[in-house]
Amino acid sequence: MNSFGLTSNNEVVERLGGRRVVVVGAGIVGLMSALEIQRAGVEVVIVDAGSPGGRQAASYGNAGWASNAAVMPISVPGLWRRVPSYIFDKSGPFTIRWSYLPRLLPWLLRLLWAGRNWEQVEACARVRFELCRSASADHVRISAEAGVAHLVQRRGLLLVCRDRSEILSTQHERGIRRQLGIESRELSPSELRRREPNLSSEYRFGFLNEDGCHISDLGAYCEAIADLILRRGGRIVRARATGFETVRGEVAKVLTDGGAIGCTHAVVAAGIGSKRLAAIAGDYVSLESERGYHVVFSHPGNILYGPIMPIDGKMAITPTLDGFRIAGQVELASEKALPDWRRADILAQFASRLFREPVQPGIEVDRWMGHRPSTPDGLPCIGPASACGKLYYAFGHGHSGVAHAPATGKLVADLVLGRKPDFDISPLSIQRFKLFQSRSCRFRKSPQTQSQEEV
Ligand SMILES: Cc1cc2nc3c(=O)[nH]c(=O)nc-3n(C[C@H](O)[C@H](O)[C@H](O)COP(=O)(O)OP(=O)(O)OC[C@H]3O[C@@H](n4cnc5c(N)ncnc54)[C@H](O)[C@@H]3O)c2cc1C
């Protein structure tokens, strides 16, 4: 056992009878799924190549925002008109590595197609709302359950702008949110000043979603949930999942580089790594990494009361326990490409202009790059695998995995336990990508005689 209570990777994990669910991935989505499955009294084993919520996971370094307003996909009508300016603005929030463009093109075209009209976007927002309507309350509850209530603060999420027209220009988005009952309250310049006295006086207008919460240390939050799962009898295996073995068309083992793990059900919640595992199970998914960056500053005072997003920077600034984290940037590049730390420089430079004189951002203490696992249509894949019984998917949450994770966990538990989900999840099916599929199944079929009780 190491400090997380992880089972060492060459330990054989036998199934002793009853139901056992192997969850691949210990990011926020895998952890929430395991927690909800375990709540129903079912044995869970989590498999991850790294530590729960470790630096390899998107769940480690994101902005940590969650609210009922995480309903908008990134693709909206008119996006294509803004793409060239994003690409040619070297200090902007969006960039593409040109060498990757040929491979990325099908995903990009599907992205633009998904946002071709507002009816399409509205339909997508309605599904996403089901995934985030209770996000804040869920995180508050789960953090208390895991003994880390101090990591989740419900202080609302604040958009700030220099010119009121910047927010008013997003009238369609605001209309969709209003229809769903998602409120945001406009703050006058003086209210904004009282709430965030250190913020540069150039930001005069604020729009506050009071439902929102923020998580000040994502890595610690994930570790605490993993600990809770361990305390309740779950197990965590440090290994890389490499495939599945089936008996009579149903998953019977998850294969890993440390041995096979017997199971009755399995869940793929491996973030960007899910594409490979889904392909092994016979499903194609259009999933790309929208790489993002963060820079963390430590600061002796309470420099920010709550999280803010300056609309001009398109980045999120979140208070941490001893400073703040500035997170953002979308870099479309191969998952394997080395980080381009100039993207983090953009964030750090922004931080230096964010506060009023003479307030300084503090000392830079961390830089990080991670992979948003993004589908082009703004919806995750949650549901059964097409060709392998009792194997389920829970990945592709893009920009909103923190907000959508608690509801995803409940849905995954419903699927595994055979309960009817609260809403129609057919738009989340991986089968929507079937049209583009060209590969065949690669999972290993066991001889019919092989017992599932074996390792
Ligand atoms: C800069 C930035 C800011 C963001 N801000 C927000 C925000 O404010 N709010 C929000 O809701 N979302 C935000 N996001 C998005 C959010 O971080 C992701 O959607 C979410 O973390 C995805 O969680 P996950 O569990 O699916 O994947 P991950 O957190 O990436 O976890 C996947 C895990 O699977 C493991 N794995 C992969 N392959 C294998 C394998 N074969 N075998 C074993 N283990 C494997 C990995 O080691 C990893 O631990 C942001 C993302 C970025 C990059």
Side-chain angles (χ1 to χ4, degrees):
M1 296 278 192
N2 73 10
S3 58
F4 288 111
L6 305 176
T7 309
S8 73
N9 66 355
N10 52 8
E11 188 173 324
V12 156
V13 183
E14 274 184 73
R15 193 170 70 80
L16 299 172
R19 281 179 293 187
R20 178 200 276 165
V21 183
V22 173
V23 177
V24 182
I28 191 78
V29 174
L31 290 168
M32 290 289 180
S33 302
L35 187 68
E36 294 305 324
I37 294 165
Q38 195 183 48
R39 220 184 273 294
V42 176
E43 183 191 354
V44 290
V45 178
I46 301 176
V47 180
D48 198 302
S51 52
R55 286 184 81 89
Q56 82 289 347
S59 303
Y60 171 85
N62 60 66
W65 288 34
S67 78
N68 61 2
V71 294
M72 295 304 296
I74 52 164
S75 182
V76 294
L79 175 71
W80 61 272
R81 260 183 263 126
R82 276 178 273 149
V83 169
S85 67
Y86 283 159
I87 292 172
F88 293 109
D89 177 2
K90 291 215 174 326
S91 61
F94 182 93
T95 185
I96 296 181
R97 296 252 185 121
W98 293 107
S99 55
Y100 193 56
L101 190 58
R103 286 196 55 194
L104 186 68
L105 207 56
W107 182 92
L108 261 186
L109 294 175
R110 283 172 210 145
L111 177 86
L112 296 177
W113 179 246
R116 63 192 174 279
N117 59 46
W118 284 107
E119 290 72 42
Q120 204 67 28
V121 173
E122 225 179 287
C124 177
R126 276 197 297 274
V127 180
R128 289 173 60 95
F129 184 54
E130 297 299 337
L131 294 173
C132 67
R133 61 194 311 161
S134 63
S136 291
D138 288 342
H139 281 299
V140 168
R141 178 177 46 79
I142 290 165
S143 62
E145 211 180 322
V148 287
H150 64 288
L151 295 180
V152 179
Q153 304 275 326
R154 204 166 182 178
R155 294 186 174 175
L157 304 175
L158 179 66
L159 295 186
V160 293
C161 49
R162 295 155 197 262
D163 185 336
R164 207 164 162 267
S165 63
E166 288 174 82
I167 184 92
L168 298 182
S169 67
T170 59
Q171 52 160 344
H172 270 112
E173 285 91 328
R174 295 187 326 127
I176 290 175
R177 288 202 170 100
R178 213 173 304 118
Q179 270 180 30
L180 292 167
I182 304 161
E183 298 298 334
S184 78
R185 186 166 70 81
E186 182 169 355
L187 304 186
S188 68
S190 58
E191 276 179 291
L192 178 58
R193 202 60 50 227
R194 276 199 299 279
R195 186 181 156 99
E196 295 295 353
N198 292 323
L199 191 63
S200 158
S201 54
E202 288 184 23
Y203 293 104
R204 300 185 51 237
F205 301 96
F207 294 82
L208 180 66
N209 173 319
E210 283 168 314
D211 171 79
C213 73
H214 70 276
I215 299 159
S216 50
D217 184 338
L218 277 304
Y221 184 47
C222 288
E223 274 175 32
I225 297 170
D227 257 348
L228 179 65
I229 293 169
L230 288 172
R231 284 201 303 278
R232 290 178 174 172
R235 272 184 285 177
I236 301 182
V237 176
R238 183 80 165 256
R240 177 167 298 282
T242 52
F244 310 96
E245 196 166 303
T246 60
V247 173
R248 286 180 286 278
E250 291 183 352
V251 66
K253 290 177 187 173
V254 172
L255 308 176
T256 80
D257 57 6
I261 306 173
C263 62
T264 54
H265 304 73
V267 178
V268 174
I272 194 64
S274 305
K275 183 176 182 171
R276 211 166 301 128
L277 291 169
I280 289 168
D283 280 304
Y284 171 76
V285 57
S286 187
L287 188 78
E288 290 292 340
S289 165
E290 286 188 69
R291 295 149 53 109
Y293 291 79
H294 85 201
V295 181
V296 180
F297 288 88
S298 77
H299 194 281
N302 294 328
I303 196 165
L304 283 173
Y305 169 74
I308 56 170
M309 177 176 288
I311 289 187
D312 53 341
K314 293 200 173 11
M315 51 189 74
I317 298 132
T318 310
T320 58
L321 295 179
D322 58 359
F324 67 93
R325 175 192 311 114
I326 180 162
Q329 292 285 309
V330 169
E331 183 189 32
L332 295 175
S334 154
E335 190 197 329
K336 300 270 177 285
L338 290 173
D340 176 357
W341 294 116
R342 287 173 301 183
R343 310 314 301 176
D345 290 341
I346 295 169
L347 298 175
Q349 280 155 18
F350 200 92
S352 66
R353 287 184 275 120
L354 196 62
F355 302 105
R356 58 171 64 222
E357 293 288 336
V359 179
Q360 293 297 314
I363 298 164
E364 189 183 313
V365 289
D366 189 27
R367 278 182 175 213
W368 169 88
M369 186 277 289
H371 304 279
R372 299 179 187 90
S374 296
T375 60
D377 59 10
L379 294 175
C381 293
I382 305 173
S386 311
C388 179
K390 300 198 172 163
L391 176 68
Y392 300 94
Y393 297 130
F395 63 82
H397 293 75
H399 290 240
S400 309
V402 177
H404 294 180
T408 299
K410 285 187 228 161
L411 280 181
V412 170
D414 287 344
L415 291 166
V416 164
L417 301 165
R419 298 185 304 222
K420 191 169 179 288
D422 288 343
F423 67 98
D424 173 21
I425 61 164
S426 57
L428 306 176
S429 167
I430 198 160
Q431 298 238 1
R432 65 193 195 269
F433 297 108
K434 216 173 175 63
L435 203 63
F436 311 109
Q437 181 155 14
S438 60
R439 296 207 187 99
S440 57
C441 300
R442 281 195 278 136
F443 55 78
R444 197 162 93 196
K445 289 203 172 86
S446 293
Q448 297 273 314
T449 49
Q450 186 165 351
S451 160
Q452 285 192 19
E453 302 306 323
E454 289 170 29
V455 177

